Amino acid sequence: MTGRFSREAVIRWAPLLVLIALVILFTAINPQFFSLRNFARITISSAPALMVAVGVTFIILMGSIDLSMEGVISLTAVLFCMAFVRFGGNLAAGGWLAMPLILALGAGIGFVNGLIHVRLRIPSFMASLAMGFVGTGAAVLLTGGDIVKVDDDVFRGLLTYRVLGFPLMVYVAVVFLGLGWFLQTRTTLGRNFYAVGGGEDLAHASGLNVRRVRIAGFTLAGVFYAVAAILQVAKLGQAESVTGANFMFISITSVVVGGVALWGGVGGVWNALVGVLIVNTINNGMVVIGLPDYVQDGMLGLLVIVAVVLSTDRRAAIVVK
Amino acid sequence: MDFQRFKPHLPWITLLVLIALVGVVDDTFLRPANLLSLAGDIVPLFIMALGLTFAIYIGGIDLSAQSMANLITVVASVYLASMGAWVALLCVIVGFGLGMISGYVTTRLLVPSFISTLAVGGVAFSLAQYLSGQRALNMDAMQRDAVFGWMIGKTGMIPNELFIAAGLLAITLFIERRTTLGRALKAVGAGEPAAAASGLNVARYKILAFAISGALAAIAGLLFSVKLSGGAPTIANGFLLPAIVAVLVGGTPLTGGVGGVLNTAIGTLIVAVIRASMLYFDIQATQQQMVFGLVLIGAIALTIDRAKLRIVK
């Protein structure tokens, strides 16, 4: 087929179609699903997850993988709360200083992660997994198992203050999504991610410093994880050593459901957005239609398989691992 | 001896160095009884890692292993009373079957194994919750001892788990080294397009690899439930990442075709020694996970044979 309904066009829009189909399905079962309140709920749970997904998208684009997010989020969330309290305990008095500090820290952890992967020549799966252990371990060490709270109405406004029905944190996530899109499409670094993912040999032979691109990618991912940590703290009002738990598998699943290929070079931040929305819509929808909670994990698994089958261009894959 | 020939031996040399290091600090660690009980405790993790080796050997991953073991602890606890010793067969069949489904989804529906096994893991978790009624279950102690008591006793000073581990290691080693299946798996792991072009039925062998992984995860779960005399849908949580780590530290990289079950045996022991060493080095509970991560980076950096990785992804 050619023209508007060519195979490429269908594949590009397939994840979005899956998302729309899910919304129609859940609405048909329970009309209350289709309401502003519920959409706000979905976007609140999506906001931190989206930041993690955007971060890991850059890594997956390069054909690598990053499993450090749980540790990084726990550590940055805990340190954010501690710094916030140390700087006065409210945003106006100096607590805002904690934000750039934590973003820089996220970048630093990502940089170290990339450095271990590239300099010690350890595959990213293992390097980042070990870094994740270190991050969680550091969070345990800092908190000693306790919870660190942040009670500042202005900061919690990220969750409580709503514009057009959606809380501020959703808009913050959208801004950072835009930043990710800008980096991906309008900068040399973004193009280099695709170059490395599309064929590392070729990128190297063309004179690209592949190692530097990889380290930059992990650093960038670290910044996005730190944003996720801040949003997660805004959502929960506290941080502990398990704040980052469950972000690892679900973020990678989301990215793949959205149409990003695990072998690299295919997809982008829009796919991450649609994927995160698909996974969170499924999770929310199962609750809204009143599915028993013990069925939900299995149902999520089945729906994710269906979504991946429908929404990704698997014919491009020579080998599916 | 030049360094290239030295490289494949790095995993067990790392293990010996670690054991020696801990032994220097505290020589009670080196007592045979201590080493044996240390090895005995790690057997369920080892069996799970043994299964994962097959998935990783063909360049995939099996993230369902932990949920599979959880489900099997529940299955074993629920059906021990009615089925007696046959429950072991049921457990292995369930594991093999769910593994086959993972393999089918991966090879026929072309869903990456990272996602397909995670999804099957979710299904297993739901099944476990449904079967158990979301409660922790207990086995009847008498019946457990009568049917599976032999698994957890001691013969002389050797824990019986070690015989099970050795038996499974021997079987999987035989599959890997002496059967067509083992050869085929190596071919698939080393280069799937080449294996397919040579006329190998790649999909069938990959499905089998995932099924073996599932069956071994099931055996791990069975042993675990016998040890704890019960089961629950979350009882084996926290096993997955250490099991993956054990495979990787042993020198089977995620790219496939390199390493094998013997490497996993060494890798599991390295993980066990690192964990146990925390006790001997007086490392606080709150510091242990961080230290584990740091030591892990060092251990992996030492044990990977990079000559066989074309591109480090």
Side-chain angles (χ1 to χ4, degrees):
Chain A
M1 276 198 294
T2 54
R4 202 177 293 172
F5 295 104
S6 69
R7 188 167 165 274
E8 283 72 27
V10 172
I11 282 159
R12 177 180 297 176
W13 294 104
L16 194 62
L17 295 177
V18 169
L19 179 61
I20 292 170
L22 280 168
V23 171
I24 293 172
L25 174 77
F26 287 126
T27 307
I29 299 174
N30 184 348
Q32 283 178 357
F33 177 84
F34 202 87
S35 64
L36 192 61
R37 277 184 70 87
N38 197 42
F39 288 154
R41 216 175 284 139
I42 294 176
T43 52
I44 291 170
S45 66
S46 300
L50 176 64
M51 293 298 96
V52 184
V54 169
V56 81
T57 297
F58 294 127
I59 309 288
I60 295 179
L61 274 183
M62 295 190 289
S64 299
I65 194 110
D66 188 353
L67 303 179
S68 68
M69 55 279 274
E70 294 192 350
V72 176
I73 291 173
S74 296
L75 179 58
T76 48
V78 164
L79 278 171
F80 174 74
C81 288
M82 288 179 161
F84 195 88
V85 172
R86 177 67 60 84
F87 293 144
N90 70 60
L91 211 56
W96 62 271
L97 271 171
M99 292 190 186
L101 188 73
I102 290 308
L103 295 188
L105 181 78
I109 300 174
F111 181 74
V112 172
N113 199 356
L115 215 56
I116 290 174
H117 161 46
V118 169
R119 293 287 164 197
L120 296 182
R121 309 223 312 135
I122 299 178
S124 53
F125 189 103
M126 310 177 215
S128 60
L129 188 61
M131 271 305 280
F133 287 143
V134 174
T136 309
V140 173
L141 191 61
L142 281 169
T143 58
D146 290 338
I147 292 172
V148 200
K149 282 191 188 303
V150 166
D151 300 312
D152 176 29
D153 291 339
V154 185
F155 175 65
R156 293 303 302 283
L158 277 171
L159 176 69
T160 52
Y161 187 76
R162 294 190 180 219
V163 179
L164 301 173
F166 293 98
L168 272 183
M169 61 187 287
V170 174
Y171 296 96
V172 171
V174 169
V175 168
F176 275 93
L177 176 71
L179 180 68
W181 172 80
F182 178 79
L183 285 168
Q184 175 197 311
T185 55
R186 295 281 183 273
T187 64
T188 321
L189 183 62
R191 293 197 177 279
N192 288 348
F193 288 149
Y194 284 96
V196 172
E200 188 165 340
D201 296 352
L202 211 59
H204 183 70
S206 321
L208 187 64
N209 188 338
V210 172
R211 300 172 134 210
R212 193 179 292 168
V213 174
R214 285 198 181 282
I215 295 179
F218 278 94
T219 309
L220 192 58
V223 176
F224 276 95
Y225 300 158
V227 176
I230 294 175
L231 293 185
Q232 190 71 359
V233 172
K235 195 170 111 185
L236 304 172
Q238 62 184 46
E240 54 185 315
S241 55
V242 294
T243 300
N246 299 328
F247 271 110
M248 173 162 52
F249 291 136
I250 208 74
S251 61
I252 294 169
T253 304
S254 305
V255 171
V256 174
V257 167
V260 180
L262 276 177
W263 49 88
V266 181
V269 294
W270 293 122
N271 299 84
L273 171 68
V274 176
V276 167
L277 288 177
I278 288 177
V279 168
N280 282 286
T281 300
I282 294 174
N283 270 330
N284 172 282
M286 289 191 300
V287 176
V288 171
I289 65 173
L291 223 55
D293 59 348
Y294 61 83
V295 186
Q296 289 182 10
D297 287 279
M299 194 53 93
L300 179 66
L302 295 178
L303 287 176
V304 160
I305 290 179
V306 173
V308 171
V309 168
L310 291 178
S311 72
T312 55
D313 184 9
R314 288 150 308 122
R315 214 188 294 174
I318 317 157
V319 171
V320 176
K321 283 193 168 170
Chain B
M1 193 160 70
D2 66 313
F3 192 64
Q4 284 302 323
R5 286 177 52 196
F6 178 64
K7 269 181 176 171
H9 301 291
L10 277 172
W12 67 262
I13 293 172
T14 306
L15 174 63
L16 286 186
V17 169
L18 280 172
I19 292 177
L21 271 179
V22 186
V24 167
V25 174
D26 190 337
D27 54 9
T28 55
F29 174 75
L30 292 178
R31 279 190 198 146
N34 185 40
L35 289 177
L36 282 173
S37 78
L38 187 72
D41 285 341
I42 201 105
V43 167
L45 182 72
F46 169 66
I47 298 175
M48 192 185 283
L50 211 51
L52 269 165
T53 311
F54 281 87
I56 296 178
Y57 195 59
I58 57 163
I61 185 95
D62 185 356
L63 300 177
S64 69
Q66 170 180 298
S67 307
M68 192 85 81
N70 276 327
L71 169 65
I72 295 302
T73 63
V74 172
V75 170
S77 305
V78 170
Y79 293 107
L80 175 67
S82 55
M83 294 179 71
W86 291 104
V87 78
L89 189 65
L90 174 72
C91 290
V92 174
I93 290 173
V94 169
F96 196 86
L98 281 173
M100 274 181 76
I101 295 176
S102 294
Y104 182 85
V105 173
T106 306
T107 54
R108 305 282 181 201
L109 302 182
L110 302 179
V111 176
S113 58
F114 193 100
I115 306 295
S116 64
T117 55
L118 201 58
V120 169
V123 174
F125 184 54
S126 278
L127 273 175
Q129 282 180 304
Y130 171 73
L131 270 177
S132 66
Q134 292 167 281
R135 290 176 293 116
L137 305 167
N138 288 314
M139 285 179 175
D140 180 47
M142 293 264 294
Q143 195 165 17
R144 180 199 72 158
D145 289 341
V147 180
F148 293 124
W150 56 272
M151 280 186 176
I152 50 173
K154 275 189 176 185
T155 308
M157 60 189 291
I158 302 172
N160 284 351
E161 289 106 316
L162 283 182
F163 292 114
I164 300 174
L168 289 172
L169 179 62
I171 294 170
T172 48
L173 193 63
F174 180 78
I175 293 176
E176 182 192 302
R177 301 270 167 93
R178 288 279 177 271
T179 62
T180 328
L181 173 62
R183 284 269 147 210
L185 292 180
K186 189 170 179 72
V188 171
E192 198 172 322
S198 320
L200 214 59
N201 188 342
V202 171
R204 180 162 36 139
Y205 287 113
K206 284 178 91 169
I207 292 175
L208 257 177
F210 283 105
I212 293 173
S213 177
L216 283 164
I219 297 174
L222 178 64
L223 181 60
F224 202 53
S225 68
V226 171
K227 276 182 101 146
L228 298 176
S229 191
T234 55
I235 202 165
N237 279 6
F239 266 57
L240 179 63
L241 293 179
I244 294 176
V245 164
V247 177
L248 301 182
V249 172
T252 306
L254 289 149
T255 38
V258 183
V261 293
L262 266 188
N263 291 68
T264 298
I266 294 164
T268 314
L269 289 173
I270 291 179
V271 171
V273 172
I274 295 177
R275 283 261 154 107
S277 67
M278 309 268 180
L279 208 67
Y280 294 92
F281 284 103
D282 269 334
I283 294 167
Q284 304 283 315
T286 51
Q287 301 170 356
Q288 285 187 2
Q289 192 169 15
M290 192 163 131
V291 174
F292 183 70
L294 290 172
V295 176
L296 201 58
I297 294 174
I300 293 174
L302 277 176
T303 54
I304 299 179
D305 184 358
R306 293 170 185 78
K308 288 175 181 157
L309 299 178
R310 198 170 53 89
I311 290 177
V312 181
K313 273 193 171 179

mmCIF file of all heavy atoms in Angstrom, chain A residues 14-38:
data_model
loop_
_atom_site.group_PDB
_atom_site.id
_atom_site.type_symbol
_atom_site.label_atom_id
_atom_site.label_comp_id
_atom_site.label_asym_id
_atom_site.label_seq_id
_atom_site.Cartn_x
_atom_site.Cartn_y
_atom_site.Cartn_z
ATOM 1 N N ALA A 14 0.358 3.351 15.331
ATOM 2 C CA ALA A 14 -0.222 2.186 16.002
ATOM 3 C C ALA A 14 -0.281 2.318 17.530
ATOM 4 O O ALA A 14 -1.331 2.036 18.121
ATOM 5 C CB ALA A 14 0.516 0.919 15.603
ATOM 6 N N PRO A 15 0.818 2.756 18.198
ATOM 7 C CA PRO A 15 0.715 2.853 19.665
ATOM 8 C C PRO A 15 -0.412 3.784 20.103
ATOM 9 O O PRO A 15 -1.142 3.480 21.047
ATOM 10 C CB PRO A 15 2.088 3.414 20.065
ATOM 11 C CG PRO A 15 2.998 3.039 18.959
ATOM 12 C CD PRO A 15 2.160 3.077 17.714
ATOM 13 N N LEU A 16 -0.565 4.921 19.381
ATOM 14 C CA LEU A 16 -1.620 5.860 19.738
ATOM 15 C C LEU A 16 -2.991 5.217 19.529
ATOM 16 O O LEU A 16 -3.904 5.390 20.344
ATOM 17 C CB LEU A 16 -1.488 7.120 18.884
ATOM 18 C CG LEU A 16 -2.305 8.319 19.354
ATOM 19 C CD1 LEU A 16 -1.866 8.758 20.735
ATOM 20 C CD2 LEU A 16 -2.169 9.478 18.372
ATOM 21 N N LEU A 17 -3.126 4.452 18.449
ATOM 22 C CA LEU A 17 -4.395 3.767 18.195
ATOM 23 C C LEU A 17 -4.704 2.770 19.314
ATOM 24 O O LEU A 17 -5.847 2.643 19.752
ATOM 25 C CB LEU A 17 -4.355 3.045 16.845
ATOM 26 C CG LEU A 17 -4.243 3.966 15.622
ATOM 27 C CD1 LEU A 17 -4.145 3.135 14.340
ATOM 28 C CD2 LEU A 17 -5.440 4.900 15.555
ATOM 29 N N VAL A 18 -3.669 2.072 19.777
ATOM 30 C CA VAL A 18 -3.856 1.134 20.885
ATOM 31 C C VAL A 18 -4.358 1.884 22.115
ATOM 32 O O VAL A 18 -5.294 1.444 22.799
ATOM 33 C CB VAL A 18 -2.538 0.388 21.211
ATOM 34 C CG1 VAL A 18 -2.652 -0.368 22.524
ATOM 35 C CG2 VAL A 18 -2.178 -0.565 20.089
ATOM 36 N N LEU A 19 -3.742 3.051 22.379
ATOM 37 C CA LEU A 19 -4.151 3.863 23.536
ATOM 38 C C LEU A 19 -5.618 4.274 23.407
ATOM 39 O O LEU A 19 -6.411 4.134 24.352
ATOM 40 C CB LEU A 19 -3.253 5.094 23.643
ATOM 41 C CG LEU A 19 -3.576 6.064 24.790
ATOM 42 C CD1 LEU A 19 -3.452 5.382 26.125
ATOM 43 C CD2 LEU A 19 -2.660 7.280 24.738
ATOM 44 N N ILE A 20 -5.989 4.746 22.205
ATOM 45 C CA ILE A 20 -7.376 5.187 21.994
ATOM 46 C C ILE A 20 -8.333 4.000 22.156
ATOM 47 O O ILE A 20 -9.387 4.112 22.801
ATOM 48 C CB ILE A 20 -7.518 5.832 20.599
ATOM 49 C CG1 ILE A 20 -6.733 7.143 20.566
ATOM 50 C CG2 ILE A 20 -8.990 6.090 20.265
ATOM 51 C CD1 ILE A 20 -6.594 7.744 19.183
ATOM 52 N N ALA A 21 -7.940 2.854 21.617
ATOM 53 C CA ALA A 21 -8.779 1.658 21.738
ATOM 54 C C ALA A 21 -8.991 1.294 23.198
ATOM 55 O O ALA A 21 -10.107 0.937 23.611
ATOM 56 C CB ALA A 21 -8.127 0.492 20.991
ATOM 57 N N LEU A 22 -7.921 1.411 24.012
ATOM 58 C CA LEU A 22 -8.032 1.096 25.438
ATOM 59 C C LEU A 22 -8.997 2.048 26.121
ATOM 60 O O LEU A 22 -9.836 1.632 26.928
ATOM 61 C CB LEU A 22 -6.653 1.193 26.107
ATOM 62 C CG LEU A 22 -5.726 0.000 25.915
ATOM 63 C CD1 LEU A 22 -4.319 0.348 26.368
ATOM 64 C CD2 LEU A 22 -6.244 -1.196 26.709
ATOM 65 N N VAL A 23 -8.886 3.344 25.787
ATOM 66 C CA VAL A 23 -9.769 4.335 26.410
ATOM 67 C C VAL A 23 -11.222 4.013 26.057
ATOM 68 O O VAL A 23 -12.103 4.021 26.923
ATOM 69 C CB VAL A 23 -9.388 5.759 25.946
ATOM 70 C CG1 VAL A 23 -10.445 6.769 26.407
ATOM 71 C CG2 VAL A 23 -8.025 6.136 26.488
ATOM 72 N N ILE A 24 -11.472 3.689 24.773
ATOM 73 C CA ILE A 24 -12.839 3.346 24.352
ATOM 74 C C ILE A 24 -13.322 2.096 25.089
ATOM 75 O O ILE A 24 -14.448 2.044 25.597
ATOM 76 C CB ILE A 24 -12.879 3.131 22.822
ATOM 77 C CG1 ILE A 24 -12.602 4.458 22.111
ATOM 78 C CG2 ILE A 24 -14.231 2.573 22.386
ATOM 79 C CD1 ILE A 24 -12.436 4.336 20.608
ATOM 80 N N LEU A 25 -12.443 1.093 25.187
ATOM 81 C CA LEU A 25 -12.811 -0.163 25.859
ATOM 82 C C LEU A 25 -13.222 0.074 27.302
ATOM 83 O O LEU A 25 -14.298 -0.356 27.740
ATOM 84 C CB LEU A 25 -11.624 -1.137 25.793
ATOM 85 C CG LEU A 25 -11.792 -2.437 26.563
ATOM 86 C CD1 LEU A 25 -12.698 -3.393 25.802
ATOM 87 C CD2 LEU A 25 -10.442 -3.111 26.816
ATOM 88 N N PHE A 26 -12.352 0.789 28.042
ATOM 89 C CA PHE A 26 -12.646 0.998 29.464
ATOM 90 C C PHE A 26 -13.881 1.887 29.638
ATOM 91 O O PHE A 26 -14.675 1.690 30.555
ATOM 92 C CB PHE A 26 -11.441 1.611 30.188
ATOM 93 C CG PHE A 26 -10.326 0.628 30.396
ATOM 94 C CD1 PHE A 26 -9.027 0.912 29.971
ATOM 95 C CD2 PHE A 26 -10.557 -0.589 31.025
ATOM 96 C CE1 PHE A 26 -8.002 0.004 30.163
ATOM 97 C CE2 PHE A 26 -9.525 -1.501 31.221
ATOM 98 C CZ PHE A 26 -8.253 -1.197 30.781
ATOM 99 N N THR A 27 -14.044 2.884 28.738
ATOM 100 C CA THR A 27 -15.211 3.754 28.831
ATOM 101 C C THR A 27 -16.490 2.962 28.587
ATOM 102 O O THR A 27 -17.514 3.182 29.241
ATOM 103 C CB THR A 27 -15.105 4.901 27.814
ATOM 104 O OG1 THR A 27 -13.846 5.546 27.988
ATOM 105 C CG2 THR A 27 -16.215 5.917 28.018
ATOM 106 N N ALA A 28 -16.418 2.016 27.641
ATOM 107 C CA ALA A 28 -17.596 1.210 27.330
ATOM 108 C C ALA A 28 -18.005 0.372 28.533
ATOM 109 O O ALA A 28 -19.194 0.175 28.788
ATOM 110 C CB ALA A 28 -17.305 0.313 26.129
ATOM 111 N N ILE A 29 -17.021 -0.116 29.283
ATOM 112 C CA ILE A 29 -17.330 -0.960 30.437
ATOM 113 C C ILE A 29 -17.816 -0.111 31.609
ATOM 114 O O ILE A 29 -18.749 -0.467 32.311
ATOM 115 C CB ILE A 29 -16.109 -1.809 30.838
ATOM 116 C CG1 ILE A 29 -15.728 -2.731 29.676
ATOM 117 C CG2 ILE A 29 -16.414 -2.638 32.083
ATOM 118 C CD1 ILE A 29 -14.461 -3.511 29.899
ATOM 119 N N ASN A 30 -17.129 1.025 31.839
ATOM 120 C CA ASN A 30 -17.562 1.914 32.913
ATOM 121 C C ASN A 30 -17.405 3.363 32.452
ATOM 122 O O ASN A 30 -16.284 3.876 32.399
ATOM 123 C CB ASN A 30 -16.738 1.670 34.177
ATOM 124 C CG ASN A 30 -17.232 2.510 35.337
ATOM 125 O OD1 ASN A 30 -18.032 3.426 35.159
ATOM 126 N ND2 ASN A 30 -16.747 2.202 36.534
ATOM 127 N N PRO A 31 -18.520 4.044 32.122
ATOM 128 C CA PRO A 31 -18.460 5.405 31.581
ATOM 129 C C PRO A 31 -17.734 6.384 32.498
ATOM 130 O O PRO A 31 -17.225 7.399 32.024
ATOM 131 C CB PRO A 31 -19.944 5.785 31.433
ATOM 132 C CG PRO A 31 -20.659 4.486 31.355
ATOM 133 C CD PRO A 31 -19.881 3.529 32.201
ATOM 134 N N GLN A 32 -17.670 6.061 33.801
ATOM 135 C CA GLN A 32 -16.970 6.979 34.706
ATOM 136 C C GLN A 32 -15.487 7.092 34.391
ATOM 137 O O GLN A 32 -14.817 8.011 34.841
ATOM 138 C CB GLN A 32 -17.143 6.514 36.155
ATOM 139 C CG GLN A 32 -18.509 6.857 36.701
ATOM 140 C CD GLN A 32 -18.698 6.352 38.105
ATOM 141 O OE1 GLN A 32 -17.825 5.692 38.662
ATOM 142 N NE2 GLN A 32 -19.847 6.643 38.672
ATOM 143 N N PHE A 33 -14.968 6.120 33.631
ATOM 144 C CA PHE A 33 -13.559 6.170 33.245
ATOM 145 C C PHE A 33 -13.275 7.447 32.471
ATOM 146 O O PHE A 33 -12.227 8.061 32.627
ATOM 147 C CB PHE A 33 -13.210 4.947 32.376
ATOM 148 C CG PHE A 33 -11.798 4.936 31.873
ATOM 149 C CD1 PHE A 33 -10.780 4.440 32.659
ATOM 150 C CD2 PHE A 33 -11.494 5.437 30.623
ATOM 151 C CE1 PHE A 33 -9.479 4.434 32.202
ATOM 152 C CE2 PHE A 33 -10.188 5.432 30.164
ATOM 153 C CZ PHE A 33 -9.186 4.934 30.960
ATOM 154 N N PHE A 34 -14.252 7.849 31.621
ATOM 155 C CA PHE A 34 -14.042 9.005 30.751
ATOM 156 C C PHE A 34 -14.455 10.281 31.467
ATOM 157 O O PHE A 34 -15.492 10.861 31.208
ATOM 158 C CB PHE A 34 -14.856 8.835 29.462
ATOM 159 C CG PHE A 34 -14.321 9.656 28.333
ATOM 160 C CD1 PHE A 34 -13.325 9.154 27.508
ATOM 161 C CD2 PHE A 34 -14.807 10.930 28.094
ATOM 162 C CE1 PHE A 34 -12.830 9.916 26.466
ATOM 163 C CE2 PHE A 34 -14.297 11.689 27.046
ATOM 164 C CZ PHE A 34 -13.313 11.178 26.229
ATOM 165 N N SER A 35 -13.634 10.714 32.417
ATOM 166 C CA SER A 35 -13.942 11.950 33.125
ATOM 167 C C SER A 35 -12.638 12.671 33.417
ATOM 168 O O SER A 35 -11.576 12.056 33.478
ATOM 169 C CB SER A 35 -14.670 11.642 34.443
ATOM 170 O OG SER A 35 -13.808 10.919 35.297
ATOM 171 N N LEU A 36 -12.758 13.988 33.583
ATOM 172 C CA LEU A 36 -11.557 14.793 33.829
ATOM 173 C C LEU A 36 -10.849 14.344 35.099
ATOM 174 O O LEU A 36 -9.630 14.255 35.144
ATOM 175 C CB LEU A 36 -11.965 16.266 33.931
ATOM 176 C CG LEU A 36 -10.794 17.257 33.906
ATOM 177 C CD1 LEU A 36 -10.035 17.145 32.603
ATOM 178 C CD2 LEU A 36 -11.298 18.674 34.112
ATOM 179 N N ARG A 37 -11.654 14.038 36.119
ATOM 180 C CA ARG A 37 -11.050 13.592 37.392
ATOM 181 C C ARG A 37 -10.189 12.353 37.189
ATOM 182 O O ARG A 37 -9.088 12.258 37.721
ATOM 183 C CB ARG A 37 -12.159 13.256 38.397
ATOM 184 C CG ARG A 37 -12.722 14.441 39.135
ATOM 185 C CD ARG A 37 -13.748 13.968 40.161
ATOM 186 N NE ARG A 37 -13.120 13.257 41.256
ATOM 187 C CZ ARG A 37 -12.642 13.883 42.328
ATOM 188 N NH1 ARG A 37 -12.701 15.195 42.421
ATOM 189 N NH2 ARG A 37 -12.096 13.203 43.308
ATOM 190 N N ASN A 38 -10.719 11.421 36.419
ATOM 191 C CA ASN A 38 -9.975 10.179 36.222
ATOM 192 C C ASN A 38 -8.752 10.400 35.352
ATOM 193 O O ASN A 38 -7.686 9.828 35.604
ATOM 194 C CB ASN A 38 -10.889 9.106 35.616
ATOM 195 C CG ASN A 38 -10.292 7.725 35.773
ATOM 196 O OD1 ASN A 38 -9.756 7.403 36.840
ATOM 197 N ND2 ASN A 38 -10.331 6.938 34.729
#
